[in-house]
Every structure is written in structure tokens, then in C-alpha cells.
């Protein structure tokens, strides 16, 4: 009994002691954290006692926000080696810890959206052509603003592309020039473009001035210096790279098997000493003179003969035997080794040539790596395993090789074929970071048509875009909205617009009809419109201009739009057939009136023709079906200059829509049943249709073609000879067996 009492007393004492330590510890931690808060508030001149007492206190409280510069100068410097401390003082490292959350002011973007301001060019400052192209691409984009108070991002007019001190393009005294800019704000919300940094012999990535908290859009940037979710890695491009448009890729046919004459090729300089020499000096070990051609030359630089080794003469002779372009276009894989810097011109050359790049540049942050999955288009090698490259690529299955080559073509045409696309891709990536809730996912960036043509402001759901129906297993829409463009007063019940309205309303696929009233006369009374089984909505066009027919009206409730001119002559059967065809091609324009373009050698310009031939490249929007996303793209992607031209001429809006859709899809439109009776009914001089008899009308359309082609940087229209007719159309079969029997009677 006494033993039990002793155990009970000991247990009670132990429990009391534990409780004493527990509550005492809490009090000690609370008082210590309270004293720290008082100390911080004393430093900041603030004291906020009340609310803190109602929040739970955690033993490991989050550290307060401190600017990165203060962290580097205080805590982090304690653990740095002397060399790291020296590096920390150089300009490339000062903002090394910057991220969007710490070095970017989001409030500037939330107010006015993503707008980019370019500083005005200063007198006497020379700007290289490549940098002029970058600035022109920004100023021609939908992101540009000339008002700095509206801007979210700022770009210098001072040329920062070439920061090699030995280069004639090098801008001196850039540090003081940048610091004198009144909007600089230590680089916050600034974007700096750079292709070359550092100089002989070490070629560091230092751009030669303090970039502060600015973002870098930089070529040849290393993974060590790349700041994820802040910097943007861009490709190294030459001064001859096209400003807009650019050539298409060289993969014309998907040949099976996809193997070419050579398995692996490279032709370039061999550095005898210094950075980049190790890999290129070892390439001769892999070269076999048959299907693996890795050619190098020592002939570069002023003093190459003073440093040449015993292999130089033999290498130079072998180098001269082969034409580089012939090798490039006839090779399955192209080696892309590092040069003096991590990036190389060979990278873009291989992409365009549909030659799968074999990357051999350890530590290079590949261009646009934040959004592009390079494993789908390139082979990522290791410089230390050079001898294993041939056996590795020979083991890749032919199906995989074909997929890699196709992806090189998509990436080239979507993001790299022009300076404009490189710049716009950079800006779109930054915009996605700012507005994360509507940012594009990996599928959008890595699949046709790419991130530049899929605007997330339209929708965050992939099923709302026509390009992803197949990927998502979504069936195309089963209903359409007819949008009739009316410009003529309603004076008679026999006018073609009323017959057209009735014909469209009888379609089994019609959900509603919208009459866009672009006439100067007041809206007709409701009783003037015929009674139909589907709703008819009459809305007034914005400013009564031609481009208003392609505005993304909220009244359009279906994804499919049947666009009609008021004078179009179509039957219900023709409407039904065209819509069923469109359901198989939801990303294209499908319709009846076809036109074509051609190159006029005598005038050296593009021409426009309406002659009846088997060849066409446009389907006019006077009787065509397309996805309503193109209304949004027309209104928000195209520049105001082109839309203003259309509105001033009251012409060419249909051509511009065809340019846009072909540029996005890289495909021609679809023409359905050749209806020779299709015509624009002449309804008098007050009618829009009277323009078809006006000789100036064709001249205007010729001019439009060339203006549009100039803005796109190339001719996006594609010729086609395909025409889709109903089954048994015009065959000697009983009319009762034909689904679209009325078409033959027209």
C-alpha cells in the first residue's frame, strides 16, 4: 500500500513538473517573439499591439519580407567564400535572387492590363538593326503603349544586345545612361534584351552594367545564372534574321522512313584553345566520313596559323569538301555544340531544316524552356559523353524521329522564324506569369497552333478553342448562329435579306439568327421581320464600320457562326450541307464563294482574282461558317492599322479574315458545292452589292492583299483544289435516294 502511494506521489510530481516546463516554455517563446516584434516595430517606427494577441503563435514563425539585396548583404554573405563575395559585387549577381514575387510590381499590370512602353530614342545613340527590329516588333504589337503611365513593362531604347567590349556595336557608358532614366527605378518592371555578353578570353555572362531588378531576355544564358520564373532564355539569332514572317520550315513531305542521306552532321569553327575548345577539338573521334560528318576548320581569327596543330591542315581540307546547306537539308540529326558561348546559330538553322538538334552544350538554359518541352523536338546530349552520341541516335525508332522532325517544324514556325515571333513569345511568357489564373498550359504551348494564337483572355477552357476538339474527345458543335450583315434599308418584303433569313431559320442546325444592322437608317420595327421558329435578334453595329461584323458579340451563344451578307442567295439545303462539312473541319473557314490570289511578276506584287477555276485560296465570309473564336482573334490580335484600313475602304474585311485563319491554321479554307448560280444580287446604287460592279472595288482589294501580306511578313494564304460535294451529287441515281436532293435542282 505504501509503495502505491509513493508511485502516485512521484507520478503527480512529474506531471506538475512537465506542466510547469510546458507553460513556462510557451511564455518564454511568446515573450521572445513579442520582444522581436517590438524591436522590429521600433525600427520601423510602428507599433500595432492589439490584433497580434488574437492570432495563434507558432514556434517557427515565417521570416519577415526583406529585399533580396539586404539578404545578400547580411545573412547570406556570412556563408559566402571570398570568391563568391567578389561575384556578389558584380552586376550579373546583384539581382540573382530576384523572382516575380520579389522584384516585380504587379499593381501596374492589374490596372491597365499588360502594356509595354519603349523609351523614346535618344539623340546621337546608335541602334543596331537587330535591336531596331526588336523595338519595332514591340511597337507593332497589341501590347504597346506610348503612355508610360499606362505601362506594366518597360523596354530600353538603348541598345543592349551586344555587350562584347570588342564589338563595334558595343554601347559605351551604358551604366550612367541607364541610371539617368527617370523611370528606371532600379530596373523594376524593366526587360533587357541581350544576345552577346562578356568578351575574350573568359566570355562571362556579365552585361557590363548594373541591371538592378530588371528581367533579362538573354541568349546563351546558363542554368546557373538563369533566374527561373523571372528571366527568359531566347535563341541566338543573326542580324539577317527576318523581322516578320520568316521562311517556313523545310519539311515539305512526311517521308517514311524519315531517314536522310546523313545520320549526323556538323560544320563549324574549331577552337584550338580556350572556352568551347574541348568539345569541338574532340569531334574528329566521331566523324566517319560516311553518314556522320562532323567537320571543323581552324581558319578563323587573325592569328590562326600561329596556333594551328598537326590536325588543322587535314581538317581544313575535309571541311572544304562539303557544302553546309546540302548537309543540313540531307541530315536526320544536326549536332549543336557550344561555341565560345553556350548558344549557337546552328540551333535555329537545324530547327528550320527539320534536322533534329542534338544539343551538346552543358548548362545551357534552352530557349523558352519555361514553356517549350524540348524533349519532343531535340536530343539533349552531354559533352562528357560525346563518343556515345552516334549509338544513341541510331537507337531512336523511326516513328520517334518523324515525331521529332515534325515538332521542329511546329516550333520553328510558331516561335522562332522571325524576330517578331521571338519578341512576342517573350512577352506572352511574361504575361502568363503575371496573370497566372488564365495562363496557357503546356499543351497549348507545345501543340499547333501554339501560344501566340491561343489567347487565354478568351477562355481558360481548351474545349472553347476549335484546335483541341480531337485531343479532348469533344464533338464539334451541333448548332450554329447565323449572323447576317445588313447595310441596306428594309423597304420591301421581297428583299433578298428576308428570304435569306427564312432559309437560314429553317435549317435543322440553326440555334438563332442575329441581324447586324450597319445601315444608316433606323432599325425596322419588329413586325417587319418574318416570323421564324428560332429567335431573331437585331443589333446595331458598333460605329457602323465593316470590322464590327467580326466583333465577339455576347449575343452569339454557339461556337459555330454562319456569316452571311444580306444579298447572299442560299437555300436551307445548302446551309445544312455546309454546316455538316464544317463539323469535320472546325478550325477552318467552310463556305461557298471562293476567290484566289496570285503573284503578278510584271508588277511584282500580289494579285486578286474572282475567275472561276479549280484553284482557290479564300472563301469569302459572305456565305461561310467558322468558329466564333476568330471573331475574338480578329478583334484583339490584329493591329488597329489593318482594321482601320478595312473600315475606311468599307472593303476587304473578308480577305483579312482569310489571311488570319490561314496564318493560324497553316491550311487552306474548304469550298463546298460549286454553285454557279451564286451571285451578289445587284440591288441598285444604294446597295453595298453595287460595289461589285465598281472597278475601284477590285483595285482596293488588290491593294489590301499587299498591305496585309506586308504586315504578316509573308503570304499566309494557301491554294487548294479540294471541293466537297454531297454524296451522289449529279449522279444518275433516283433523287429520292439523295440526302441533299435540293442542291441538284438549284
Amino acid at each position: 500500500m505504501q509503495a502505491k502511494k509513493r508511485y502516485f506521489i512521484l507520478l503527480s510530481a512529474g506531471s506538475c513538473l512537465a506542466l510547469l516546463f510546458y507553460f513556462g516554455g510557451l511564455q518564454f517563446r511568446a515573450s521572445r517573439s513579442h520582444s522581436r516584434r517590438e524591436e522590429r516595430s521600433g525600427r520601423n517606427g510602428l507599433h500595432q499591439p492589439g490584433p497580434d494577441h488574437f492570432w495563434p503563435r507558432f514556434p517557427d514563425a515565417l521570416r519577415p519580407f526583406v529585399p533580396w539585396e539586404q539578404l545578400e548583404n547580411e545573412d547570406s554573405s556570412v556563408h559566402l567564400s571570398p570568391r563568391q563575395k567578389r561575384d556578389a559585387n558584380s552586376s550579373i549577381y546583384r539581382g540573382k535572387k530576384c523572382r516575380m514575387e520579389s522584384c516585380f510590381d504587379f499593381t501596374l499590370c492589374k490596372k491597365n492590363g499588360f502594356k509595354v512602353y519603349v523609351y523614346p530614342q535618344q539623340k546621337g545613340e546608335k541602334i543596331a538593326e537587330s535591336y531596331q527590329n526588336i523595338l519595332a516588333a514591340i511597337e507593332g504589337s497589341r501590347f504597346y503603349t506610348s503612355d508610360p503611365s499606362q505601362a506594366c513593362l518597360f523596354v530600353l531604347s538603348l541598345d543592349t544586345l551586344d555587350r562584347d567590349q570588342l564589338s563595334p556595336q558595343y554601347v559605351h557608358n551604358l551604366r550612367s545612361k541607364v541610371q539617368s532614366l527617370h523611370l528606371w527605378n532600379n530596373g523594376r518592371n524593366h526587360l533587357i534584351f541581350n544576345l552577346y555578353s562578356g568578351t575574350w578570353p573568359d566570355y562571362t555572362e556579365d552585361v557590363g552594367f548594373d541591371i538592378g531588378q530588371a528581367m533579362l531576355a538573354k541568349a546563351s544564358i546558363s542554368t546557373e545564372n538563369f533566374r527561373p520564373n523571372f528571366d527568359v532564355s531566347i535563341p541566338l539569332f543573326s542580324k539577317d534574321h527576318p523581322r516578320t514572317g520568316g521562311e517556313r520550315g523545310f519539311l515539305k513531305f512526311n517521308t517514311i522512313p524519315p531517314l536522310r542521306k546523313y545520320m549526323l552532321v556538323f560544320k563549324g569553327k574549331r577552337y584550338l584553345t580556350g572556352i568551347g575548345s574541348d568539345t569541338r577539338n574532340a569531334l574528329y573521334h566521331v566523324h566517319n566520313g560516311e553518314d556522320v560528318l562532323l567537320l571543323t576548320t581552324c581558319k578563323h581569327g587573325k592569328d590562326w596559323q600561329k596556333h594551328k596543330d598537326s590536325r588543322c591542315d587535314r581538317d581544313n581540307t575535309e571541311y572544304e569538301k562539303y557544302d553546309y546547306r546540302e548537309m543540313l537539308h540531307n541530315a536526320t540529326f544536326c549536332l549543336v555544340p557550344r561555341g565560345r558561348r553556350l548558344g549557337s546559330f546552328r540551333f535555329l538553322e537545324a530547327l528550320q531544316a527539320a534536322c533534329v538538334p542534338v544539343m551538346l552544350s552543358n548548362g545551357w538554359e534552352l530557349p523558352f524552356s519555361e514553356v517549350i518541352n524540348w524533349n519532343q523536338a531535340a536530343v539533349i546530349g552531354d559533352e562528357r559523353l560525346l563518343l556515345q552520341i552516334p549509338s544513341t541516335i541510331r537507337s531512336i525508332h523511326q516513328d520517334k524521329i518523324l515525331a521529332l522532325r515534325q515538332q521542329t517544324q511546329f516550333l520553328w514556325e510558331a516561335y522562332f522564324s522571325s524576330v517578331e515571333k521571338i519578341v512576342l513569345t517573350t512577352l506572352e511568357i511574361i504575361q502568363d506569369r503575371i496573370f497566372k489564373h488564365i495562363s496557357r498550359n503546356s499543351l497549348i504551348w507545345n501543340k499547333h497552333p501554339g501560344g501566340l494564337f491561343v489567347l487565354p483572355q478568351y477562355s481558360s477552357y481548351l474545349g472553347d478553342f476549335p484546335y483541341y476538339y480531337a485531343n479532348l474527345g469533344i464533338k464539334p458543335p451541333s448548332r450554329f448562329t447565323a449572323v447576317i450583315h445588313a447595310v441596306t434599308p428594309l423597304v420591301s418584303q421581297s428583299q433578298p435579306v428576308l428570304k435569306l433569313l427564312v432559309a437560314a431559320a429553317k435549317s435543322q442546325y440553326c440555334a438563332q439568327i442575329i441581324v447586324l444592322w450597319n445601315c444608316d437608317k433606323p432599325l425596322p420595327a419588329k413586325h417587319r421581320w418574318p416570323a421564324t421558329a428560332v429567335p431573331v435578334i437585331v443589333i446595331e453595329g458598333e460605329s457602323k464600320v465593316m470590322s464590327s461584323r467580326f466583333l465577339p458579340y455576347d449575343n452569339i451563344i454557339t461556337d459555330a457562326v454562319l456569316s452571311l451578307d444580306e444579298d447572299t442567295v442560299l437555300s436551307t439545303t445548302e446551309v445544312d450541307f455546309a454546316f455538316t462539312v464544317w463539323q469535320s473541319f472546325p478550325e477552318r473557314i467552310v463556305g461557298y464563294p471562293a476567290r484566289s490570289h496570285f503573284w503578278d511578276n510584271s508588277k511584282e506584287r500580289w494579285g486578286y482574282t474572282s475567275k472561276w477555276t479549280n484553284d482557290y485560296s479564300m472563301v469569302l465570309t459572305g456565305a461561310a461558317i467558322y468558329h466564333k473564336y476568330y471573331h475574338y482573334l480578329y478583334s484583339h490580335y490584329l493591329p488597329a492599322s489593318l482594321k482601320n484600313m478595312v473600315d475606311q475602304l468599307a472593303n476587304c474585311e473578308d480577305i483579312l479574315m482569310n489571311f488570319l485563319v490561314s496564318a493560324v491554321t497553316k491550311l487552306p479554307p474548304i469550298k463546298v458545292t460549286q454553285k454557279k448560280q451564286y451571285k451578289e444580287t445587284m440591288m441598285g446604287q444604294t446597295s453595298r452589292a453595287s460595289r461589285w460592279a465598281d472597278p475601284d472595288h477590285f483595285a482596293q482589294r488588290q491593294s489590301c492583299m499587299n498591305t496585309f501580306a506586308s504586315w504578316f511578313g509573308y503570304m499566309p494564304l494557301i491554294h487548294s483544289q479540294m471541293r466537297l460535294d454531297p454524296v451522289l451529287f449529279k449522279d444518275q441515281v433516283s433523287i429520292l435516294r439523295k440526302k441533299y436532293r435540293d442542291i441538284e435542282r438549284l
Side-chain angles (χ1 to χ4, degrees):
M1 193 67 180
Q2 295 296 327
K4 288 183 178 180
K5 287 183 178 180
R6 285 197 299 271
Y7 285 132
F8 179 78
I9 293 170
L10 286 173
L11 183 60
S12 300
S15 300
C16 292
L17 189 61
L19 289 171
L20 181 64
F21 274 111
Y22 178 76
F23 287 111
L26 275 182
Q27 186 177 2
F28 172 71
R29 283 194 294 268
S31 63
R32 186 172 60 179
S33 63
H34 179 67
S35 64
R36 280 201 299 263
R37 282 197 303 275
E38 287 184 337
E39 183 182 349
R40 286 199 301 272
S41 62
R43 279 202 303 261
N44 298 328
L46 299 172
H47 184 61
Q48 299 173 334
D52 283 343
H53 297 291
F54 299 100
W55 290 94
R57 298 185 180 91
F58 300 98
D60 297 321
L62 293 173
R63 295 183 62 186
F65 172 80
V66 180
W68 290 117
E69 293 86 356
Q70 186 174 338
L71 281 175
E72 290 175 350
N73 293 335
E74 295 177 2
D75 299 339
S76 59
S77 62
V78 176
H79 307 288
L80 294 179
S81 66
R83 180 177 181 180
Q84 288 172 320
K85 288 181 180 178
R86 287 196 303 271
D87 289 341
N89 291 326
S90 66
S91 60
I92 192 67
Y93 286 94
R94 282 194 187 161
K96 190 170 184 180
K97 292 186 177 180
C98 268
R99 299 296 182 268
M100 294 295 288
E101 295 77 13
S102 59
C103 295
F104 193 89
D105 185 358
F106 289 85
T107 58
L108 297 177
C109 310
K110 292 178 180 178
K111 183 179 178 182
N112 302 307
F114 186 65
K115 296 295 182 183
V116 184
Y117 173 76
V118 177
Y119 283 84
Q121 186 173 347
Q122 300 180 12
K123 291 184 178 180
E125 290 291 343
K126 293 188 297 182
I127 300 180
E129 184 178 357
S130 294
Y131 198 59
Q132 287 178 344
N133 290 341
I134 288 177
L135 299 183
I138 297 173
E139 292 171 350
S141 74
R142 68 183 186 279
F143 302 120
Y144 175 70
T145 178
S146 58
D147 183 359
S149 66
Q150 299 287 315
C152 166
L153 190 68
F154 300 84
V155 176
L156 303 177
S157 63
L158 297 165
D159 192 343
T160 58
L161 277 192
D162 195 340
R163 301 303 298 155
D164 186 336
Q165 295 179 15
L166 299 180
S167 170
Q169 306 294 338
Y170 181 80
V171 177
H172 295 274
N173 304 319
L174 193 56
R175 184 191 305 260
S176 59
K177 293 175 181 177
V178 169
Q179 294 295 335
S180 65
L181 299 173
H182 69 284
L183 296 172
W184 175 242
N185 191 25
N186 194 32
R188 203 169 182 82
N189 287 52
H190 280 67
L191 176 65
I192 294 172
F193 287 90
N194 176 254
L195 293 181
Y196 306 96
S197 62
T199 188
W200 185 88
D202 49 6
Y203 296 95
T204 66
E205 295 180 42
D206 188 351
V207 294
F209 67 99
D210 183 6
I211 65 171
Q213 297 179 338
M215 292 181 284
L216 277 174
K218 181 171 171 51
S220 304
I221 191 169
S222 65
T223 54
E224 180 184 357
N225 289 323
F226 180 76
R227 296 168 294 181
N229 197 40
F230 194 69
D231 292 331
V232 179
S233 176
I234 63 174
L236 182 66
F237 58 87
S238 70
K239 62 181 180 180
D240 300 322
H241 204 57
R243 186 178 72 83
T244 60
E247 292 185 43
R248 297 193 66 174
F250 298 145
L251 181 61
K252 304 301 182 185
F253 305 102
N254 290 326
T255 54
I256 303 295
L259 301 178
R260 291 175 169 178
K261 179 179 178 181
Y262 305 115
M263 177 59 66
L264 178 67
V265 301
F266 171 75
K267 189 176 183 182
K269 299 175 182 177
R270 177 157 75 87
Y271 305 114
L272 300 174
T273 59
I275 293 176
S277 61
D278 293 344
T279 300
R280 296 199 179 193
N281 277 336
L283 293 182
Y284 79 97
H285 290 294
V286 183
H287 171 80
N288 63 17
E290 297 176 359
D291 65 343
V292 177
L293 301 179
L294 305 182
L295 310 172
T296 58
T297 179
C298 302
K299 289 184 178 180
H300 58 89
K302 298 179 181 178
D303 302 325
W304 72 270
Q305 289 186 331
K306 295 180 181 178
H307 305 287
K308 74 175 187 177
D309 56 21
S310 58
R311 278 196 4 255
C312 275
D313 291 335
R314 183 170 65 253
D315 286 353
N316 293 342
T317 302
E318 189 79 356
Y319 182 90
E320 298 294 338
K321 288 182 181 179
Y322 296 89
D323 178 73
Y324 175 61
R325 293 188 65 84
E326 189 274 335
M327 290 171 54
L328 193 65
H329 294 186
N330 290 281
T332 304
F333 295 92
C334 285
L335 197 67
V336 184
R338 66 160 296 154
R340 291 301 195 193
R341 299 175 178 88
L342 293 171
S344 166
F345 291 130
R346 299 293 180 267
F347 179 68
L348 290 186
E349 292 168 353
L351 278 185
Q352 183 182 15
C355 186
V356 181
V358 179
M359 312 306 300
L360 217 59
S361 182
N362 290 11
W364 181 22
E365 188 72 27
L366 295 182
F368 305 137
S369 55
E370 186 174 332
V371 296
I372 293 178
N373 181 359
W374 283 109
N375 290 322
Q376 297 178 0
V379 176
I380 314 298
D382 190 319
E383 293 179 82
R384 298 165 298 183
L385 303 175
L386 170 65
L387 300 182
Q388 296 182 16
I389 295 295
S391 60
T392 299
I393 61 176
R394 290 184 196 278
S395 67
I396 300 176
H397 195 272
Q398 292 185 6
D399 291 348
K400 177 65 173 176
I401 292 175
L402 180 59
L404 289 168
R405 292 182 62 192
Q406 289 173 333
Q407 190 68 359
T408 63
Q409 300 303 272
F410 160 66
L411 294 176
W412 164 259
E413 293 181 10
Y415 307 121
F416 298 105
S417 62
S418 68
V419 175
E420 180 185 52
K421 289 180 181 177
I422 293 172
V423 171
L424 290 179
T425 304
T426 302
L427 297 180
E428 293 281 9
I429 289 173
I430 296 172
Q431 182 183 217
D432 272 6
R433 294 173 185 168
I434 297 168
F435 304 104
K436 289 184 179 180
H437 60 293
I438 57 169
S439 61
R440 284 153 280 215
N441 61 26
S442 180
L443 175 65
I444 293 176
W445 283 106
N446 292 279
K447 196 166 184 64
H448 181 82
L452 299 188
F453 286 123
V454 178
L455 306 186
Q457 294 82 1
Y458 174 75
S459 176
S460 57
Y461 174 52
L462 292 184
D464 288 336
F465 298 91
Y467 323 110
Y468 307 114
Y469 287 162
N471 291 89
L472 300 176
I474 296 175
K475 292 183 178 180
S478 58
R479 308 276 293 233
F480 67 80
T481 295
V483 179
I484 302 176
H485 186 229
V487 296
T488 306
L490 194 60
V491 295
S492 169
Q493 292 300 307
S494 63
Q495 283 181 221
V497 64
L498 299 181
K499 296 178 181 179
L500 179 63
L501 190 151
V502 172
K506 288 181 179 178
S507 171
Q508 59 181 312
Y509 306 110
C510 184
Q512 62 174 356
I513 295 177
I514 294 176
V515 178
L516 179 62
W517 192 254
N518 261 0
C519 179
D520 294 332
K521 302 296 182 180
L523 285 172
K526 288 185 179 180
H527 71 272
R528 301 288 303 277
W529 302 102
T532 58
V534 299
V536 176
I537 304 170
V538 183
I539 59 177
E540 289 203 70
E542 187 176 306
S543 304
K544 308 289 187 181
V545 294
M546 293 300 293
S547 292
S548 65
R549 72 182 300 178
F550 295 139
L551 286 173
Y553 293 104
D554 293 335
N555 306 79
I556 301 176
I557 59 174
T558 62
D559 284 343
V561 174
L562 170 61
S563 177
L564 298 166
D565 283 345
E566 64 179 359
D567 49 12
T568 298
V569 179
L570 280 181
S571 69
T572 302
T573 302
E574 288 175 306
V575 170
D576 285 348
F577 177 64
F579 182 70
T580 57
V581 171
W582 177 85
Q583 288 179 308
S584 298
F585 306 94
E587 75 281 9
R588 302 206 219 178
I589 297 177
V590 175
Y592 286 94
R595 300 291 184 266
S596 188
H597 75 286
F598 63 94
W599 179 253
D600 190 335
N601 281 318
S602 61
K603 298 180 180 179
E604 294 188 345
R605 62 195 305 245
W606 293 106
Y608 171 89
T609 179
S610 60
K611 291 182 179 179
W612 287 83
T613 65
N614 291 328
D615 202 74
Y616 67 92
S617 58
M618 289 172 279
V619 167
L620 304 187
T621 55
I625 301 174
Y626 49 79
H627 197 281
K628 74 172 182 179
Y629 174 60
Y630 291 123
H631 277 194
Y632 188 88
L633 209 56
Y634 184 100
S635 300
H636 293 89
Y637 178 81
L638 294 175
S641 59
L642 297 188
K643 290 180 285 189
N644 290 339
M645 178 183 181
V646 165
D647 295 338
Q648 289 171 4
L649 296 174
N651 195 357
C652 304
E653 82 287 351
D654 45 3
I655 298 177
L656 183 54
M657 178 61 88
N658 273 269
F659 266 70
L660 176 63
V661 177
S662 291
V664 175
T665 61
K666 305 293 188 296
L667 295 167
I670 302 289
K671 171 158 179 54
V672 290
T673 307
Q674 190 89 346
K675 183 184 174 185
K676 291 185 180 295
Q677 287 81 2
Y678 179 88
K679 62 182 180 297
E680 291 78 28
T681 308
M682 305 305 173
M683 296 183 299
Q685 294 303 312
T686 59
S687 169
R688 171 189 178 278
S690 63
R691 295 180 307 149
W692 297 98
D694 183 358
D696 291 338
H697 174 77
F698 254 70
Q700 289 175 351
R701 292 173 82 78
Q702 300 265 16
S703 178
C704 289
M705 294 276 293
N706 290 276
T707 301
F708 298 162
S710 175
W711 183 83
F712 279 91
Y714 69 110
M715 171 51 74
L717 297 179
I718 300 171
H719 285 281
S720 176
Q721 294 184 348
M722 183 174 76
R723 191 186 82 204
L724 296 182
D725 293 339
V727 177
L728 306 180
F729 178 58
K730 292 189 176 181
D731 281 1
Q732 300 301 315
V733 178
S734 169
I735 196 72
L736 297 177
R737 294 175 58 187
K738 299 182 180 182
K739 184 175 181 181
Y740 300 99
R741 62 192 67 166
D742 291 340
I743 288 182
E744 189 168 348
R745 295 170 178 167
L746 297 172

